[in-house]
């Protein structure tokens, strides 16, 4: 399999279609990104990594981090995984990622771990279990990618905190139902900081391999049981790409998590992980070129969980 060639072809196919979307600007610091950036990387389960375009340029991982907080909260919770699943559901929400409406009818139990409300509960759980949710995510990303330079971009975190009225509202609303264990301010600070982590396609593809290896980390130790890894992949497939997870499954056919920084990390079970980044987003918040490149890649190779 010529991975390098496949990446170049997938990116060229994506670029041949019209439409680039627009970078997110509701977090002002994100709007400063180069809108033409485009990179893609594959990391295989046996340790090879291939990349094309801007695959080594760090970008703001944003909601891709929600995949890592979920995996770490489940791992740290040990046998008591249900303690998390009693506090957050696993159904697609059918609503935008930052919606407030569902929370009231569902009594402060967010629909799934990947909408902002659910991610705040997961961050709270990870904070409860480790005392340092951001540190846990950073250490995990560094260890799996081998890149010790992975860090929080404080300017992005501060920018989000300044404009984070909706996330603050969500966190307070959840707290009003008794579904946060830590002070709202701490949960928000850890949430903004793990979203503001910067990493490249190379880094994230290397990190994503733990799901391709059914829960096994780069050093051979087990983070998640095979069953838990399957569950995380299932929630990624059904809820990982905002309110367009059906369209993503239809076009790409793989579990994946997107972020408003323009990154998407997708899992090729048993084979590896692929990360693509381009800041222009569609209406749902997914990278336009990113989805198109993954569509082209999986169409050319037949890679899918189906
Ligand atoms: N930190 C962003 C927010 O809470 C994450 C959004 C995203 O990437 O979906 O709005």
């Amino acid at each position: 399999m010529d991975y390098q060639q496949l990446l170049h072809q997938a990116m060229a196919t994506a670029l041949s279609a019209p439409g680039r979307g627009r970078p997110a600007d509701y977090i002002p610091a994100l709007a400063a990104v180069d809108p033409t950036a485009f990179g893609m990387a594959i990391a295989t389960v046996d340790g090879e990594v291939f990349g094309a375009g801007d695959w080594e340029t760090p970008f703001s991982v944003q909601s891709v981090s929600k995949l890592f907080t979920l995996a770490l909260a489940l791992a740290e919770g040990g046998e008591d995984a249900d303690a998390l699943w009693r506090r957050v559901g696993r159904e697609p929400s059918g609503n935008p990622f930052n919606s407030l409406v569902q929370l009231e009818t569902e009594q402060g139990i967010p629909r799934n771990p990947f909408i902002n409300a659910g991610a705040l509960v997961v961050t709270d759980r990870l904070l409860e279990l480790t005392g340092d949710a951001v540190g846990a995510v950073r250490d995990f990303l560094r260890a799996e990618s081998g890149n010790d330079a992975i860090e929080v971009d404080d300017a992005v975190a501060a920018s989000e905190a300044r404009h984070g009225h909706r996330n603050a509202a969500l966190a307070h609303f959840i707290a009003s139902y008794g579904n946060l264990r830590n002070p709202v301010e701490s949960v928000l600070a850890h949430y903004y900081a793990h979203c503001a982590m910067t990493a490249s396609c190379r880094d994230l593809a290397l990190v994503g391999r733990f799901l391709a290896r059914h829960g096994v980390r780069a050093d051979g130790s087990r983070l998640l049981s095979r069953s838990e890894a399957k569950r995380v992949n299932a929630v990624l497939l059904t809820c990982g790409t905002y309110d367009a997870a059906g369209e993503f499954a239809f076009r790409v056919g793989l579990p994946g998590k997107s972020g408003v920084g323009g990154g998407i990390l997708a899992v090729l079970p048993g084979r590896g992980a692929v990360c693509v980044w381009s800041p222009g987003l569609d209406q749902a918040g997914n990278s336009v070129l990113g989805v198109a490149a993954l569509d082209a890649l999986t169409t050319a190779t037949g890679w899918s969980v189906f």
Side-chain angles (χ1 to χ4, degrees):
M1 187 74 70
D2 187 344
Y3 290 102
Q4 195 68 52
Q5 177 68 8
L6 284 171
L7 291 178
H8 283 296
Q9 271 169 5
M11 290 176 68
T13 305
L15 285 166
S16 68
R20 296 290 180 266
R22 284 181 26 160
D25 56 7
Y26 75 100
I27 301 171
L30 285 185
V33 71
D34 171 7
T36 65
F38 189 20
M40 197 169 189
I42 289 182
T44 67
V45 285
D46 42 23
E48 286 185 302
V49 56
F50 304 86
D54 301 313
W55 68 295
E56 290 175 299
T57 305
F59 61 90
S60 192
V61 305
Q62 292 299 318
S63 280
V64 178
S65 62
K66 296 173 181 173
L67 154 57
F68 309 128
T69 51
L70 175 63
L72 292 169
L74 288 170
E76 293 288 337
E79 295 300 296
D80 201 10
D82 281 351
L84 179 65
W85 294 123
R86 279 192 294 275
R87 297 175 55 194
V88 61
R90 48 222 183 204
E91 286 293 342
S93 73
N95 277 310
F97 66 98
N98 54 4
S99 169
L100 278 149
V101 288
Q102 228 161 30
L103 260 188
E104 180 154 34
T105 48
E106 299 186 352
Q107 307 274 302
I109 308 291
R111 263 297 168 95
N112 69 64
F114 297 144
I115 51 174
N116 286 12
L120 288 162
V121 171
V122 175
T123 299
D124 178 59
R125 174 79 178 144
L126 189 57
L127 193 52
E128 189 187 350
L129 290 164
T130 63
D132 182 4
V134 187
V137 174
R138 184 179 42 219
D139 292 350
F140 179 68
L141 297 188
R142 287 181 177 180
E144 298 307 293
S145 66
N147 179 4
D148 283 342
I150 290 178
E151 205 24 290
V152 175
D153 182 332
D154 291 327
V156 171
S159 178
E160 184 163 1
R162 263 195 307 280
H163 297 84
H165 303 301
R166 192 170 272 265
N167 283 322
L170 285 167
H172 280 286
F173 206 43
I174 297 165
S176 77
Y177 287 98
N179 197 11
L180 289 186
R181 309 286 184 261
N182 296 280
V184 164
E185 293 68 29
S186 311
V187 176
L188 285 169
H190 280 263
Y191 171 82
Y192 293 143
H194 71 64
C195 287
M197 206 83 70
T198 56
S200 66
C201 290
R202 173 198 171 278
D203 298 330
L204 293 179
L206 284 165
V207 178
R209 288 176 309 164
F210 80 96
L211 282 175
R213 294 164 143 173
H214 311 288
V216 175
R217 296 184 62 161
D219 66 1
S221 65
R222 186 167 276 287
L223 182 75
L224 299 176
S225 70
R226 202 178 168 100
S227 163
E228 278 173 331
K230 179 214 71 181
R231 289 172 171 180
V232 171
N233 277 327
V235 183
L236 280 175
L237 183 78
T238 52
C239 311
T241 41
Y242 304 115
D243 198 16
E247 179 70 9
F248 187 82
F250 182 83
R251 288 182 66 186
V252 176
L254 293 172
K257 184 75 205 83
S258 53
V260 295
I264 308 176
L265 176 57
V267 183
L268 311 168
R271 184 180 291 275
V274 51
C275 183
V276 60
W277 169 57
S278 168
L281 307 180
D282 62 21
Q283 294 282 325
N286 294 313
S287 167
V288 171
L289 286 179
V291 175
L294 289 170
D295 180 354
L297 181 72
T298 56
T299 301
T301 56
W303 290 342
S304 171
V305 293
F306 299 108

